[in-house]
Amino acid sequence: MTTTHTDSILSRPVTRRGALAATLGVASFLLAGCGSSQGGSAAQTGGASSFTFGDTTFNSENEEPNVNPHQTYAGWACMRYGVGETLFKYSDSMEIEPWLATSFENVDELTWKVTLRDGVKFSSGRAMDAQAVKDCLDGLVATHDRAKGDLAIADIAVDGQTLTITTSEPKPTLLNYLSDPYGCIIDMQAGVSDDGIVAGTGPYVVESLETDKELDLRRNEDYWGGVPGFDKIKVITISDGDTLTMSLQSGEIDAAYGVPYASYNLFQGDGYTFSSCATSRAFFCEMNFDSPITRDPAVRKAIAMGIDKEGFVNKLLDGNGYVASGAYPDSLPFGGKIEGAKDYDSDGARKVLEDAGWVVGDDGIRAKDGTRLQVRWLTYPSRQEQPLLAESAQATLKDIGIDLQVNSTADHNTIRKDRSAWDVYQSAMVTAPTGDPEYFFTTHFLDSSSNNNGHYHSDEMERLAAQLADEFDTSKRAELAIKMQEVLLADDGAIFCSHLKMSMISKASVTGLTAHPCDFYEVTAGLRPSA
């Protein structure tokens, strides 16, 4: 059966074997959690032609050293800052809609035809046609291991503005993955500069880039999607939240991502606008199964029971989050309360350790067979929530007899690859940026996952993942994802602490900086001075 979609929001699932799972129907995803509010009147600065954006996350620590989407997670910066665009994108209700493409046809389980938008040019001046997109996708799968596995592209045939993509195996989520930031379409003929600058199709063109410092952009005069709102944009990396706060207060920057929650009240009055949205970004902990400490199931279970998620969200995040049970929030059909998730229970955690032979010593810390219960906890400071969660866990776990040694470092990506150097790795991830559950597991908890940091393995997880990979029915995919979370939680392979309500704050003289559920789109053609 052949199914075709044209240049409109793809609000209904493709009907084949029940339904196509390529997010074509997760319409309720977090929509109610998005919104903007202004503090007082929106004072206009006049015809401002420049915009400066402070961001705590644009850095090599977050694997975003530049805007080359073919490198690690730098595609997030490419898309967030208006340099690159993908063939498809997500609406505010997390439905896939065309972007650089105008339509697609799902010919069979292995074959997809994609028709491209006419009149699009790269910032290099080259017209975007099917051959240019094929060149980009070929380059992507040749250099990006995660994309290679996600897309499973066997062949791409081109004809004018039409690509025919053949996959090596059924890929229900092909459109989802083509919408991932690594799928930003760039001009491979123009190449990638030594500092990671690419020629994309977005509303802004990179003039200069200095990793961990700043990105300078200018308006793309040939942008296909209308006239971008600013002549110049500067993105400044400001890793310290307090410095970011002062920069916004002083007027050094016009907007900010990553302001500490304790500072929000400073911007609630006249002159600023908040844009907030519930997301699937999860703060979670991975257990190291190569560590003799966390290989002990009693230790893993006690840690899971010894973290006060409610306290973290309500006190430290000041309500700017949601207590997590599994990998996904309850607004998703495969999220919410998952069987096997542990509630905070310090007495129960103590009993688990006692029963396993971990005995409290004179210093209050437990030991077993001469081994002190010391847990090396690895995290990073570029997201303000990370050190807060580590400090909270350190206090509550000490109460049950665990000595938590926190290493919050920008070098976490190097250290996490050495499993002899840590026991628990705490990080943050948007678990369903594609509106589908497969993304999270394929990146983290399968034998083939690129970021299986703790060397987790489960025969049952592998079996369920194989089923999920071939399943086109959205309801069945949700059922499989729930089962996969239950397997992971039964093993205490991970602890999901909270989901994030993300906010951006801008001067009221700016309009169009809007939070999005998938946390992708920030600098757009619609970002401009207030009228």
Side-chain angles (χ1 to χ4, degrees), residues 59 92 103 118 120 139-140 144 170 180 183 194 246 253 261 295 323 352 364 389 394 443 458 474 490 497 515:
N59 50 46
D92 289 343
S103 65
D118 291 322
V120 177
L140 172 66
H144 199 290
D180 186 283
D194 291 342
M246 290 187 287
I253 60 177
Y261 304 120
R295 197 161 51 224
V323 172
V352 167
L389 176 55
Q394 188 176 48
T443 57
S458 163
T474 52
C497 300

Side-chain angles (χ1 to χ4, degrees), residues 287 289 444-448 452 454-463 487-488 491 493:
M287 301 295 184
F289 284 79
H444 274 81
F445 291 103
L446 302 179
D447 292 346
S448 59
N452 188 347
H455 206 190
Y456 174 81
H457 171 79
S458 163
D459 290 343
E460 179 67 2
M461 180 73 80
E462 296 293 323
R463 184 186 69 79
V487 169
L488 183 61
D491 291 335

Side-chain angles (χ1 to χ4, degrees), residues 95-262:
E95 295 173 0
I96 288 183
E97 59 185 19
W99 203 3
L100 294 179
T102 58
S103 65
F104 76 91
E105 180 183 349
N106 186 208
V107 179
D108 56 45
E109 289 185 341
L110 300 179
T111 310
W112 302 73
K113 284 188 177 181
V114 177
T115 301
L116 301 175
R117 187 178 298 278
D118 291 322
V120 177
K121 289 183 179 180
F122 295 104
S123 59
S124 61
R126 178 188 180 190
M128 186 200 73
D129 57 13
Q131 184 60 53
V133 174
K134 170 181 165 57
D135 292 345
C136 177
L137 294 178
D138 285 346
L140 172 66
V141 298
T143 58
H144 199 290
D145 289 342
R146 186 163 54 89
K148 180 179 180 180
D150 291 344
L151 298 169
I153 293 175
D155 182 68
I156 301 177
V158 300
D159 181 14
Q161 292 296 97
T162 302
L163 299 101
T164 300
I165 301 174
T166 303
T167 59
S168 59
E169 58 191 64
K171 272 293 170 184
T173 52
L174 182 69
L175 300 188
N176 301 62
Y177 288 126
L178 288 174
S179 306
D180 186 283
Y182 62 49
C184 284
I185 303 302
I186 60 174
D187 183 3
M188 299 300 287
Q189 287 185 2
V192 181
S193 71
D194 291 342
D195 44 5
I197 295 174
V198 297
T201 63
Y204 290 93
V205 181
V206 180
E207 290 190 322
S208 64
L209 186 158
E210 187 174 350
T211 297
D212 296 331
K213 187 174 181 181
E214 68 180 49
L215 172 69
D216 289 292
L217 306 163
R218 61 174 169 81
R219 173 187 287 151
N220 183 353
E221 300 293 348
D222 295 321
Y223 182 53
W224 64 271
V227 179
F230 286 98
D231 293 323
K232 300 276 187 179
I233 288 181
K234 183 186 293 289
V235 180
I236 302 177
T237 299
I238 304 176
S239 297
D240 180 73
D242 292 335
T243 302
L244 184 68
T245 298
M246 290 187 287
S247 297
L248 185 58
Q249 282 184 297
S250 68
E252 179 186 346
I253 60 177
D254 300 301
Y257 181 116
V259 169
Y261 304 120

Side-chain angles (χ1 to χ4, degrees), residues 362-381:
D362 293 339
D363 61 354
I365 302 302
R366 296 178 183 272
K368 178 180 179 180
D369 299 329
T371 299
R372 196 166 182 269
L373 189 45
Q374 184 178 87
V375 173
R376 297 164 300 169
W377 188 283
L378 177 64
T379 191
Y380 49 92

Side-chain angles (χ1 to χ4, degrees), residues 36-43 267-274 508 510-511 530:
S36 296
S37 62
Q38 289 191 355
S41 60
F267 304 102
Q268 297 287 354
D270 289 353
Y272 296 97
T273 301
F274 279 74
V510 174
T511 187
S530 297

